[in-house]
């Protein structure tokens, strides 16, 4: 029996993790969860999973509300501070930590988890994009195992299974669905609505990652994450549009063999793989009908080459540039979701903000937080200029 701490339990990834745990309750035990503000959902999880003994609530107001409720029969430990979260992450009873907090907000927890020496299931790509040069060396030094549960990176991980390393890898293909605006150029997207942008054809995800999929920025973030996780130069990676979202990544070896991982678009599949040990965990899944599969591929859109080039620059220069790219994108996406800018202006916010920042090799959790704050200020200035 493995004890699981689920950070970001109330989000869409958290929901998928809970489903896998529920279907494998003889092997997996949910011992702790965290949330930001959604304490109502946290209470539902506690009511369903009686094994939860620890709850971390990030928002101080929601924390007080959660802890002072007298109409709920729960006798576990509730925490709120950073030091309490660090203590929880390192608690001896915990075997697996799932880092599923969305966006840069998950950076703090992932940084702490890197020191733990535990098995980490990583869904928070932003922490690696912004702090890969800091986090990965810490994890290696502390023998912390990081297994990605993003479908593309978990697919690469599975395709590399049994290989001694990446010396024999020739190319890695990261696939993208193309999102709701497949075959549309940026110039066609000026007047799309938030509702249209959130209508992903294949995946059910949170609003931020869904917009990232619609802009294809998500693939650029995944390119950076893959560079760090698999320690390969960015030139090894190609981004390819695959509208059906059946093949999640492909690894081609120097002998001409190409190995892919296939499944229906369901986040529980990579999560179940990552939660397993010697034997895979069974889940209810939508099986592929290979007699009717129609798989197609397209080149990454040429009018997104500038955003891809920024991602490759981040891969090659590292340092603080990942934090700049991520923060600029998060501000741009939030501004679109708040109806402050048009969809096509997301790119302009990123371009202008990224170009205004210089490379710094000062790598620490404090410096990354500082560059994130500074970049958000600059990005909001760009947003303001577009509004005016």
């Amino acid at each position: 029996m493995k004890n699981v701490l689920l950070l970001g339990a109330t989000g869409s990834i958290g929901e998928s993790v809970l489903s896998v745990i529920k279907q494998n309750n003889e092997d997996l035990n949910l011992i702790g969860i965290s949330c930001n503000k959604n304490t109502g959902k946290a209470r539902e999880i506690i009511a369903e999973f009686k094994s939860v003994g620890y709850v971390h609530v990030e928002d101080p107001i929601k924390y007080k509300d959660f802890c002072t409720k007298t109409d709920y029969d729960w006798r576990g430990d509730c925490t709120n501070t950073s030091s309490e979260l660090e203590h929880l992450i390192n608690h001896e009873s915990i075997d697996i930590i799932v880092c599923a907090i969305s966006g840069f907000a998950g950076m703090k927890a992932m940084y702490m988890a890197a020191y733990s020496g535990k098995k980490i299931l990583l869904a928070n790509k932003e922490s690696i994009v912004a702090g890969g040069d800091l986090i990965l060396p810490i994890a290696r030094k502390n023998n912390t195992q990081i297994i990605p549960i993003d479908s593309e990176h978990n697919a690469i991980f599975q395709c590399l299974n049994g290989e001694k390393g990446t010396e024999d890898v020739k190319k890695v293909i990261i696939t993208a669905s193309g999102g709701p605006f497949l075959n549309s150029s940026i110039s066609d997207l000026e007047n799309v609505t938030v509702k249209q942008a959130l209508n992903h054809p294949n995946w059910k995800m949170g609003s931020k990652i869904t917009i990232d999929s619609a802009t294809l920025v998500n693939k650029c973030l995944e390119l950076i994450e893959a560079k760090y996780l698999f320690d390969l130069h960015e030139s090894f990676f190609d981004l390819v549009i695959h509208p059906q979202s059946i093949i999640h990544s492909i690894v081609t070896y120097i002998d001409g063999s190409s190995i892919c991982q296939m499944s229906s678009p369901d986040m529980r599949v990579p999560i179940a793989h990552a939660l397993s040990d010697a034997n895979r965990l069974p889940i209810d899944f939508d099986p592929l009908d290979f007699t009717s599969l129609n798989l197609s591929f397209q080149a990454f859109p040429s009018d997104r080459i500038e955003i891809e080039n920024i991602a490759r620059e981040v891969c090659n220069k590292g340092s603080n540039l990942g934090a700049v790219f991520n923060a600029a994108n998060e501000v741009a996406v939030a501004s679109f979701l708040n109806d402050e800018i048009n969809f096509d202006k997301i790119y302009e916010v990123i371009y202008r903000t990224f170009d205004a920042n210089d490379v710094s090799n000062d790598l620490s959790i404090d410096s990354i937080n500082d560059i994130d704050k500074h970049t958000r200020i600059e990005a909001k200035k760009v947003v303001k200029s577009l509004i005016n």
Side-chain angles (χ1 to χ4, degrees):
M1 178 74 75
K2 298 292 186 181
N3 289 328
V4 180
L5 171 62
L6 175 53
L7 304 176
T10 59
S12 60
I13 297 295
E15 183 177 350
S16 295
V17 173
L18 294 172
S19 175
V20 175
I21 293 175
K22 190 189 309 182
Q23 294 180 60
N24 292 275
N25 55 20
E26 293 184 357
D27 298 300
L28 301 170
N29 181 53
L30 183 67
I31 194 172
I33 63 173
S34 84
C35 69
N36 181 24
K37 294 183 177 182
N38 195 352
T39 52
K41 179 64 175 178
R43 291 181 184 281
E44 293 176 9
I45 295 171
I46 293 169
E48 182 173 7
F49 293 84
K50 307 298 184 183
S51 57
V52 174
Y54 306 94
V55 176
H56 181 83
V57 181
E58 190 70 17
D59 184 86
I61 296 176
K62 289 292 185 177
Y63 163 73
K64 291 179 180 178
D65 174 68
F66 184 89
C67 293
T68 55
K69 288 282 187 181
T70 57
D71 60 346
Y72 194 81
D73 184 21
W74 181 69
R75 296 294 180 265
D77 292 334
C78 184
T79 60
N80 168 252
T81 68
S82 293
S83 61
E84 289 171 326
L85 176 60
E86 185 174 16
H87 178 75
L88 176 58
I89 285 172
N90 288 284
H91 199 286
E92 61 182 8
S93 65
I94 292 170
D95 302 300
I96 300 171
I97 303 169
V98 182
C99 290
I101 300 170
S102 177
F104 186 80
M107 176 77 182
K108 177 178 69 174
M110 184 57 199
Y111 174 72
M112 293 175 180
Y115 284 98
S116 70
K118 300 178 187 291
K119 180 177 178 179
I120 310 299
L121 271 57
L122 176 66
N124 177 250
K125 67 174 66 68
E126 292 85 355
S127 61
I128 302 301
V129 170
D133 285 322
L134 177 68
I135 290 174
L136 270 297
I138 293 171
R140 284 191 290 268
K141 184 177 180 180
N142 290 275
N143 295 315
T144 300
Q145 183 185 21
I146 298 176
I147 301 179
I149 54 177
D150 277 340
S151 60
E152 297 80 5
H153 300 88
N154 184 265
I156 297 170
F157 188 87
Q158 292 197 53
C159 290
L160 292 171
N161 186 40
E163 300 295 328
K164 296 179 180 179
T166 56
E167 297 85 0
D168 294 336
V169 171
K170 181 72 173 179
K171 184 66 66 175
V172 179
I173 306 297
I174 301 175
T175 62
S177 68
F181 307 127
L182 179 67
N183 299 322
S184 297
S185 64
I186 294 176
S187 60
D188 297 329
L189 303 177
E190 178 181 358
N191 296 315
V192 301
T193 66
V194 170
K195 183 178 180 180
Q196 289 172 322
L198 290 174
N199 186 29
H200 196 285
N202 300 336
W203 295 94
K204 180 182 178 182
M205 306 177 290
S207 58
K208 193 269 181 182
I209 191 173
T210 304
I211 299 301
D212 283 346
S213 178
T215 60
L216 296 182
V217 170
N218 195 42
K219 289 304 123 179
C220 298
L221 296 172
E222 288 176 0
L223 167 62
I224 299 167
E225 183 186 11
K227 177 264 182 188
Y228 281 112
L229 291 179
F230 303 106
D231 196 24
L232 286 168
H233 191 269
E234 53 83 13
S235 60
F236 278 81
F237 298 95
D238 285 344
L239 305 179
V240 174
I241 302 298
H242 170 52
Q244 295 81 21
S245 295
I246 298 296
I247 293 178
H248 302 290
S249 282
I250 306 167
V251 176
T252 298
Y253 291 93
I254 57 176
D255 63 359
S257 300
S258 290
I259 299 175
C260 72
Q261 186 270 336
M262 304 171 68
S263 70
S264 298
D266 183 345
M267 282 304 301
R268 296 176 305 157
V269 174
I271 290 167
H273 168 264
L275 282 170
S276 65
D277 285 323
N279 299 314
R280 292 180 181 249
L281 297 174
I283 59 169
D284 295 329
F285 64 93
D286 184 15
L288 296 175
D289 180 0
F290 289 95
T291 63
S292 63
L293 277 185
N294 181 18
L295 306 179
S296 61
F297 302 89
Q298 303 168 208
F300 203 70
S302 58
D303 64 349
R304 271 50 160 216
I305 191 65
E306 187 172 354
I307 201 75
E308 181 182 345
N309 285 342
I310 287 177
R312 295 189 183 276
E313 182 178 350
V314 171
C315 289
N316 289 320
K317 294 183 178 178
S319 66
N320 66 323
L321 288 183
V324 172
F325 182 27
N326 181 71
N329 179 59
E330 288 196 7
V331 169
V333 170
S335 299
F336 169 69
L337 289 171
N338 291 330
D339 290 321
E340 296 174 332
I341 60 173
N342 290 340
F343 182 88
D344 63 320
K345 297 302 181 184
I346 292 175
Y347 301 98
E348 185 172 348
V349 172
I350 298 172
Y351 299 154
R352 287 171 56 183
T353 306
F354 189 84
D355 289 344
N357 282 272
D358 298 321
V359 177
S360 170
N361 293 317
D362 178 17
L363 275 181
S364 67
I365 190 65
D366 290 335
S367 68
I368 292 172
N369 281 320
D370 286 344
I371 193 65
D372 175 77
K373 292 176 183 177
H374 171 76
T375 302
R376 288 174 191 274
I377 292 171
E378 296 304 311
K380 288 174 182 177
K381 290 179 181 178
V382 175
V383 169
K384 188 175 181 180
S385 72
L386 295 174
I387 295 173
N388 296 336

